[in-house]
Amino acid sequence: MPAAMTTDINLIRNFSIIAHIDHGKSTLADRLIQRCGGLSDREMVEQVLDNMEIERERGITIKAQTVRLEYKAKDGKTYVLNLMDTPGHVDFAYEVSRSLAACEGSLLVVDASQGVEAQTLANVYQAIEHDHVIVPVINKIDLPAADPDRVKLQIEDVIGLDTSQAVLASAKSGIGIDDVLEALVTQLPAPKGDASKPLKAMLVDSWYDPYLGVILLVRVVEGVLKKGMSLRMLAAGNDQTVERVGVFRPKIDYIGELGPGEVGFITAQIKEVAQTRVGDTLVETKHAKDAVPLPGFKEVQSVVFCGLFPVDAADFEKLRESMAKLRLNDASFTYEMETSAALGFGFRCGFLGLLHLEIIQERLSREYDLDLITTAPSVVYHIHLTDGTSMELHNPADMPEVVRIDHIEEPWIEATIFVPDEYLGAVLKLCQDRRGIQKNLSYAGTRAMVVYELPLNEVVFDFYDRLKSISRGYASFDYHQIGHREGDLVKMNLLVNEEPVDALSMIVHRGQAEARGRHMCERMKDLIPRHLFKIPIQAAIGGKVIARETISAMRKDVTAKCYGGDITRKRKLLEKQKEGKKRMRTFGKVEIPQEAFIAALKMGDEK
């Protein structure tokens, strides 16, 4: 039922919920929806807004979701609350920043027993950058280990927020939900905007729906967005006609128009998400010439690259189709075809980070039933050549000859790690081993906050797993990129029977090449089955071999039929066998089984 009028702007509150993973953000969203009558008790499921199976299973939010609620406050007025449920993970930081730009305030959810964690900090700083009013909510106060006063102090010490008006709640038990809603209405400001000005709206997110095409989630800043309008996306440069306008309550509800300060969705016969860019500005086509885009838009850049190959070569077409379908819904995932002598046809894919890589891989195997081999992840290197030009390198196999390279730059990150005091030594050692530079070390209660600068290629390999294992799971980790720096990097090849195996080549720091090479050789020695001839496995930088292992040959006992008698006869048979082995080694091909690749490329660098 289309509503005739847009809502009074003073009764609108746009807010997001920010928290570290598992601090109860999605559960709090569920309670708010339930309390405001968005869904009946029968329709309520846990994590209403996490609609991907993988989101529920891992307990993480991958796509930003939104819901419009109506709340009758104690002052008798009915307020419209637009809740943005944002992803908490660092890989999806750009989506978070756009969602925050669409709001005026945030609920900061902190676990009453665990306190402030690394991603709490990262997300709060982003909210502060967007000039948000922040309402602290101390969640899970009904847990036996809860200590709200300690957590309040921690929020004041570490973040510097006033916690005198912090709300104590337990989203799971439904304690304090009315207090949260009252705090939203009384503490957060109403949005600003003028309905009489030309339309200007921000594209907060987009996803593909098989029935409606691409759905665009928008926040109207100025003007009114109506059905039938012709819109231009400034960054993408294409024009669209609005077919439907609506809001999520959280079920789809079509309305006539969206006014300033409102958040809703539009559809416009767009076929794929790649045509829409998160953070883009939407204006009416007739005013597009003079329109100034909203600040903060940036192109999404892939950070981690790896090759995906089907285990069964016959699945290549199926893999291509599956990737095209995933790309419909996730424009930050990029891929292009590549071939490898060892693994056949596959794709070189770009991801926002390791979690993004894992999720895409899992969705391919789960939703499309594919068996995949993933090559070792690598980052984007900037290679400066001696002739003054430079290039981006995504795949170690494409590295130019050493003589043509002047210097190589690698991406660096600034990492913030929160860790209990007793594990601090092990964490510092891990960061030093990974070529880290310590920037800061401070304390919040019994927990240390360490800030390190680290090369990204040391982090993509297995840093997160190692960090979790040495801290028994208590460390939390968050990072952002700080640009490229020059590094002493070399390409390490793995040779099996003096033939390079392209799928296993990698770019490493010169100081760590020998240890990494020895480790790879030892691992391959266990994985390649014995042949009838000796197989050398070598790790080499250019022409210099830095590590070697040899797989000994299987031998037939050729002297078994000689009983006693002359030793020369036995010797002659052994010499003949030796000649045969030598000849065989020059002609023999080493069959490396598929399982060996999968095991060698397993991310866990088990040192």
Side-chain angles (χ1 to χ4, degrees):
M1 178 189 90
M5 279 297 293
T6 53
T7 314
D8 174 5
I9 195 164
N10 296 317
L11 296 177
I12 298 175
R13 297 289 183 272
N14 295 325
F15 70 99
S16 63
I17 305 182
I18 50 180
H20 187 75
I21 298 167
D22 270 354
H23 278 202
K25 182 172 58 171
S26 294
T27 312
L28 180 62
D30 292 352
R31 288 297 155 272
L32 296 176
I33 292 168
Q34 206 170 2
R35 168 67 183 78
C36 295
L39 290 172
S40 66
D41 289 348
R42 187 173 60 83
E43 291 166 318
M44 274 309 285
V45 290
E46 284 189 26
Q47 281 97 34
V48 174
L49 300 179
D50 291 347
N51 46 21
M52 281 199 304
E53 185 186 327
I54 196 166
E55 288 186 312
R56 286 161 181 268
E57 199 171 287
R58 288 174 169 237
I60 52 176
T61 303
I62 295 166
K63 299 292 286 175
Q65 301 286 348
T66 170
V67 61
R68 176 180 175 130
L69 304 170
E70 277 164 17
Y71 171 64
K72 191 161 185 180
K74 288 178 181 165
D75 60 9
K77 296 177 186 164
T78 300
Y79 289 85
V80 169
L81 307 177
N82 288 311
L83 153 63
M84 300 273 190
D85 186 28
T86 57
H89 200 277
V90 57
D91 286 5
F92 308 107
Y94 179 60
E95 277 191 20
V96 176
S97 90
R98 293 304 81 203
S99 299
L100 293 179
C103 305
E104 285 73 41
S106 297
L107 291 180
L108 166 66
V109 179
V110 183
D111 186 316
S113 57
Q114 292 182 346
V116 176
E117 300 268 3
Q119 275 164 339
T120 319
L121 265 190
N123 292 341
V124 163
Y125 289 151
Q126 272 198 315
I128 292 169
E129 270 171 37
H130 289 97
D131 295 330
H132 275 205
V133 174
I134 296 171
V135 178
V137 175
I138 300 186
N139 191 23
K140 307 191 186 183
I141 56 164
D142 54 344
L143 287 182
D147 188 350
D149 296 333
R150 175 179 63 83
V151 174
K152 277 188 187 179
L153 274 174
Q154 209 181 6
I155 293 173
E156 289 187 355
D157 290 350
V158 180
I159 305 172
L161 283 178
D162 174 28
T163 54
S164 57
Q165 290 186 300
V167 181
L168 300 182
S170 165
K172 196 166 188 180
S173 319
I175 301 167
I177 299 302
D178 282 358
D179 299 344
V180 174
L181 288 162
E182 280 300 319
L184 281 173
V185 170
T186 52
Q187 294 183 35
L188 298 192
K192 296 181 176 66
D194 185 347
S196 58
K197 286 190 175 173
L199 172 74
K200 189 179 274 188
M202 184 172 80
L203 201 164
V204 181
D205 200 1
S206 58
W207 60 92
Y208 182 77
D209 180 286
Y211 303 107
L212 302 171
V214 174
I215 295 178
L216 308 183
L217 183 62
V218 294
R219 150 78 201 258
V220 180
V221 181
E222 306 273 4
V224 179
L225 179 58
K226 296 180 184 158
K227 195 174 160 178
M229 259 185 178
S230 174
L231 296 184
R232 160 121 4 128
M233 300 185 198
L234 292 182
N238 48 22
D239 293 350
Q240 308 289 350
T241 304
V242 180
E243 286 189 335
R244 299 179 182 85
V245 178
V247 292
F248 295 104
R249 305 176 186 269
K251 288 187 282 195
I252 287 181
D253 184 9
Y254 295 112
I255 58 175
E257 56 185 37
L258 288 171
E262 291 196 275
V263 177
F265 70 87
I266 57 170
T267 63
Q269 282 209 340
I270 302 171
K271 296 289 183 287
E272 50 183 82
V273 175
Q275 296 172 358
T276 64
R277 298 180 186 173
V278 171
D280 204 344
T281 306
L282 304 178
V283 294
E284 222 178 326
T285 310
K286 60 184 179 191
H287 300 302
K289 274 201 186 78
D290 319 318
V292 180
L294 295 164
F297 172 75
K298 62 176 194 271
E299 291 282 352
V300 177
Q301 298 277 312
S302 297
V303 174
V304 176
F305 287 82
C306 79
L308 288 179
F309 295 87
V311 168
D312 179 358
D315 282 344
F316 175 72
E317 277 307 317
K318 187 175 168 192
L319 177 63
R320 185 203 296 266
E321 284 165 24
S322 309
M323 285 190 166
K325 283 180 188 160
L326 276 187
R327 172 108 173 108
L328 280 176
N329 223 336
D330 186 352
S332 54
F333 160 60
T334 57
Y335 64 93
E336 56 187 42
M337 220 182 105
E338 76 166 349
T339 57
S340 147
L343 301 173
F345 288 101
F347 292 94
R348 189 90 196 151
C349 306
F351 307 93
L352 297 175
L354 283 183
L355 179 78
H356 191 207
L357 181 155
E358 239 177 271
I359 284 164
I360 294 279
Q361 213 181 323
E362 194 150 318
R363 287 185 68 186
L364 283 169
S365 68
R366 189 181 289 188
E367 295 171 27
Y368 302 103
D369 198 25
L370 286 161
D371 269 346
L372 298 174
I373 299 174
T374 315
T375 63
S378 70
V379 295
V380 184
Y381 298 97
H382 290 173
I383 296 194
H384 295 267
L385 303 172
T386 47
D387 61 2
T389 59
S390 64
M391 61 178 275
E392 281 194 353
L393 181 75
H394 297 168
N395 187 350
D398 301 335
M399 189 153 162
E401 288 92 50
V402 185
V403 289
R404 291 179 52 212
I405 298 172
D406 182 49
H407 65 274
I408 304 176
E409 291 178 350
E410 59 180 335
W412 278 65
I413 59 168
E414 184 174 276
T416 307
I417 300 169
F418 266 84
V419 61
D421 205 17
E422 64 260 41
Y423 307 116
L424 179 62
V427 169
L428 293 179
K429 182 178 182 311
L430 174 69
C431 293
Q432 291 304 135
D433 290 349
R434 298 300 169 95
R435 302 191 279 133
I437 301 165
Q438 188 175 326
K439 285 291 171 200
N440 196 351
L441 173 58
S442 56
Y443 275 87
T446 58
R447 298 173 66 216
M449 178 178 113
V450 198
V451 179
Y452 257 92
E453 287 182 357
L454 289 155
L456 184 61
N457 75 341
E458 297 289 343
V459 175
V460 297
F461 213 63
D462 64 333
F463 181 83
Y464 193 62
D465 297 345
R466 305 273 310 141
L467 180 69
K468 283 292 183 201
S469 63
I470 60 176
S471 67
R472 303 236 177 9
Y474 284 113
S476 63
F477 167 70
D478 188 85
Y479 68 85
H480 62 269
Q481 280 197 277
I482 52 174
H484 282 69
R485 296 182 188 172
E486 193 175 327
D488 185 10
L489 302 165
V490 290
K491 177 184 170 186
M492 186 176 81
N493 282 318
L494 204 78
L495 311 171
V496 175
N497 202 15
E498 293 166 12
E499 295 262 323
V501 182
D502 57 350
L504 297 176
S505 59
M506 56 172 80
I507 292 174
V508 290
H509 190 265
R510 198 183 294 276
Q512 292 169 335
E514 196 176 318
R516 190 69 66 82
R518 186 166 297 135
H519 176 68
M520 282 298 269
C521 289
E522 283 169 9
R523 184 180 273 185
M524 287 307 283
K525 183 184 177 185
D526 297 336
L527 296 170
I528 297 176
R530 286 168 66 187
H531 286 53
L532 291 170
F533 51 92
K534 260 191 202 168
I535 304 172
I537 299 171
Q538 298 159 311
I541 296 172
K544 182 185 173 194
V545 174
I546 54 169
R548 171 179 172 135
E549 291 284 337
T550 307
I551 300 175
S552 54
M554 286 196 288
R555 293 186 62 170
K556 182 182 171 191
D557 187 358
V558 287
T559 59
K561 58 189 176 190
C562 303
Y563 296 104
D566 190 1
I567 186 70
T568 53
R569 187 155 169 242
K570 285 188 179 177
R571 199 166 285 148
K572 196 188 277 177
L573 286 168
L574 287 170
E575 286 299 322
K576 197 172 167 191
Q577 185 186 33
K578 209 189 228 170
E579 284 301 312
K581 295 249 181 250
K582 203 181 274 176
R583 198 164 60 245
M584 198 174 214
R585 192 177 148 201
T586 54
F587 296 117
K589 270 189 76 65
V590 179
E591 289 293 321
I592 305 178
Q594 208 85 27
E595 300 78 60
F597 276 112
I598 299 171
L601 295 168
K602 272 275 186 287
M603 312 252 296
D605 189 12
E606 305 131 16
K607 288 190 178 144

